[in-house]
Amino acid sequence: MALNYVWIVFFVVGLVIALFRLIVFHDYEIFKKLVEGIFDASKSSVMDIGLPLAGAMIFFMGLMNIGEKAGAVNFLARILNPFMKRLFPEVPDKHPAMGEMVMNFSANMLGLDNAATPFGLKAMESLQTLNPNKETASNSQIMFLVLHTSGLTLIPLSIIAYRASGGSTNPTNVFVPLMLATTVATVASIIITGIYQRLRFDKVLVLWLGGIIVSIGLFAMFINSLPSQKNVAEPSLFTKETFSNVLGNCILFFIISAFIIGGFVRKINVFDAFIDGAKQGWDVIIKVIPYLVGLLVAIRVFRDSGALDAIINGISWCFIQVGITSDFVPALPVAIMRPFSGGGARGLMLDIFKVHGADSFIGQLASTFQGSADTTFYIIALYFGSVGIKKVRYAIWAGMLADLLGVIAAIMIAYIFFA
């Protein structure tokens, strides 16, 4: 599938729905709303996403260049090589892309979005050097992107913060359910994409997957055993909120310091290496912005036309008609919006907090939805756009299918923990 078709579908569906609302419901303001949305999305794509991303991109691309010259990235690649080479058989052993992908996954798991994106874009650039057809996504690039969109997160810092600001008396109680749901989505993405790519699910790969699942389960049990800050008389490191916040940021700062100190020990001109890498970061931002503007404007048209609301209402009606309990339906808009817009899904989640309460079943399920997947279409535009890929093949449907399985898992887990 080409991004060209996705782009056209969003606009055509938006036009059809808008004309329907104009003719049937006499909504004379709909086209004004769409035009204003186009200008707003164009501006926010650059001012709210592109430029803020530029600073983090420039810094972490410079840091990655230090890490590559010092051998830190290759060191990470060697450690995880038995697992990674089975997921990415087209990537040669000890290739820099392996370590860069590990850095991206690690930052994602720690909830450090600002660091994850630059690492991921650097990994995509390295994978592009191995791609024989520069405008068509390779199997390795698709596997990497689908894994990224599955949103594996061990420390959901932003979700905890939003729940606390939304009036939750126990903002960390979604910690374990969220980890379980996002793990299901990640394993599903590996299996779905692996079957399509005909990967060998040998003993080593199965053991690695099993080990990752067990490790995440043990970490979830440890976090769940910690007391909440509200139940502790004095501030303590070993509470769910404080430990989660400190761990992620501490690890990231340790990595930054280790790269810089390692480069100095290896007698590298650290600052010059940083500047060389940072220049590449700005080049990537310039390449990415047109893709972001194009796709995010199309998504905004799709959303403002009412097409997304129609999908949500249709799904809700289907559940009611077949007699399935509809307790979870008010939270579905968050799950449906999430692949299209992280900000839109966040706004819907906060609205649910106001209406139903952050600690209600709906509020906790919405929190789990928000943290158990990622913005699939945004990531496709950002990552593939950074290297000029126009034909994404099966990346969209594989990512969306993994998201769907994550949503189903989130609903089942929410009934176990919160109902």
Side-chain angles (χ1 to χ4, degrees):
M1 180 185 289
L3 286 175
N4 178 51
Y5 298 123
V6 177
W7 202 60
I8 290 173
V9 165
F10 280 135
F11 276 105
V12 170
V13 171
L15 174 62
V16 171
I17 297 294
L19 286 172
F20 178 80
R21 291 176 62 173
L22 176 66
I23 296 169
V24 176
F25 299 107
H26 307 294
D27 186 354
Y28 301 118
E29 297 293 319
I30 182 61
F31 282 99
K32 178 184 176 183
K33 182 179 180 181
L34 291 180
V35 171
E36 289 177 348
I38 288 173
F39 283 105
D40 183 61
S42 300
K43 177 183 176 182
S44 62
S45 299
V46 177
M47 301 301 295
D48 298 337
I49 298 176
L51 291 182
L53 177 62
M57 188 73 200
I58 289 169
F59 176 77
F60 283 103
M61 288 288 274
L63 185 71
M64 284 295 292
N65 196 44
I66 297 172
E68 287 180 0
K69 291 182 180 299
V73 175
N74 286 333
F75 174 74
L76 289 172
R78 285 197 301 271
I79 293 175
L80 293 175
N81 191 57
F83 175 60
M84 296 291 285
K85 74 177 182 180
R86 284 166 170 79
L87 292 182
F88 303 94
E90 297 174 353
V91 180
D93 288 349
K94 302 177 184 179
H95 191 275
M98 292 292 199
E100 291 158 1
M101 287 188 286
V102 171
M103 295 292 291
N104 170 261
F105 297 145
S106 300
N108 262 331
M109 287 190 289
L110 295 171
L112 304 168
D113 296 337
N114 289 337
T117 300
F119 292 149
L121 290 173
K122 181 63 176 174
M124 186 62 74
E125 181 184 331
S126 295
L127 291 173
Q128 183 71 346
T129 63
L130 303 171
N131 187 3
N133 190 341
K134 300 303 181 184
E135 291 193 354
T136 302
S138 67
N139 285 344
S140 296
Q141 288 172 318
I142 292 174
M143 174 63 82
F144 171 60
L145 187 134
V146 172
L147 279 172
H148 186 62
T149 60
S150 67
L152 181 61
T153 304
L154 298 184
I155 303 179
L157 297 176
S158 61
I159 304 296
I160 293 172
Y162 287 127
R163 285 181 52 76
S165 65
S168 173
T169 58
N170 189 9
T172 59
N173 70 336
V174 298
F175 209 116
V176 173
L178 201 154
M179 287 176 59
L180 296 175
T182 192
T183 300
V184 169
T186 300
V187 173
S189 68
I190 292 174
I191 294 173
I192 292 166
T193 313
I195 290 174
Y196 195 91
Q197 295 182 1
R198 298 181 180 178
L199 296 183
R200 289 179 59 248
F201 285 87
D202 59 10
K203 183 171 67 174
V204 175
L205 180 56
V206 172
L207 286 174
W208 268 93
L209 285 174
I212 291 171
I213 293 171
V214 170
S215 299
I216 291 173
L218 292 174
F219 183 72
M221 290 172 60
F222 169 70
I223 293 295
N224 198 46
S225 68
L226 296 176
S228 178
Q229 186 65 61
K230 68 184 182 68
N231 296 325
V232 178
E234 297 180 0
S236 171
L237 172 62
F238 292 101
T239 62
K240 292 179 182 178
E241 295 88 346
T242 306
F243 184 81
S244 302
N245 184 49
V246 170
L247 180 63
N249 290 296
C250 182
I251 290 175
L252 179 60
F253 191 77
F254 173 79
I255 290 172
I256 293 170
S257 302
F259 274 33
I260 294 172
I261 295 170
F264 178 77
V265 171
R266 296 292 293 270
K267 295 181 170 53
I268 294 169
N269 190 321
V270 176
F271 192 70
D272 284 351
F274 171 81
I275 296 299
D276 290 341
K279 290 177 181 177
Q280 298 174 28
W282 180 250
D283 293 339
V284 171
I285 290 295
I286 296 301
K287 291 179 184 177
V288 163
I289 286 179
Y291 286 84
L292 283 180
V293 172
L295 195 55
L296 294 182
V297 166
I299 290 172
R300 181 65 176 267
V301 169
F302 183 78
R303 194 176 90 191
D304 286 353
S305 69
L308 188 61
D309 289 337
I311 292 173
I312 293 169
N313 293 333
I315 292 174
S316 301
W317 182 85
C318 291
F319 278 117
I320 293 171
Q321 293 304 308
V322 298
I324 297 176
T325 178
S326 57
D327 294 347
F328 63 90
V329 170
L332 270 183
V334 177
I336 296 172
M337 177 67 77
R338 184 65 172 148
F340 298 96
S341 169
R346 181 171 59 249
L348 291 172
M349 179 185 70
L350 295 176
D351 185 63
I352 286 173
F353 289 171
K354 291 179 183 178
V355 175
H356 298 277
D359 290 334
S360 66
F361 173 76
I362 299 302
Q364 292 174 113
L365 177 56
S367 303
T368 308
F369 282 151
Q370 178 70 7
S372 60
D374 217 325
T375 47
T376 302
F377 286 96
Y378 164 76
I379 290 171
I380 285 173
L382 181 65
Y383 281 60
F384 284 157
S386 69
V387 292
I389 286 176
K390 299 176 181 178
K391 298 178 181 179
V392 300
R393 298 170 66 200
Y394 53 90
I396 291 178
W397 70 256
M400 293 296 286
L401 182 55
D403 287 345
L404 175 61
L405 294 174
V407 167
I408 295 172
I411 293 171
M412 296 172 64
I413 291 166
Y415 272 104
I416 294 172
F417 280 84
F418 307 132

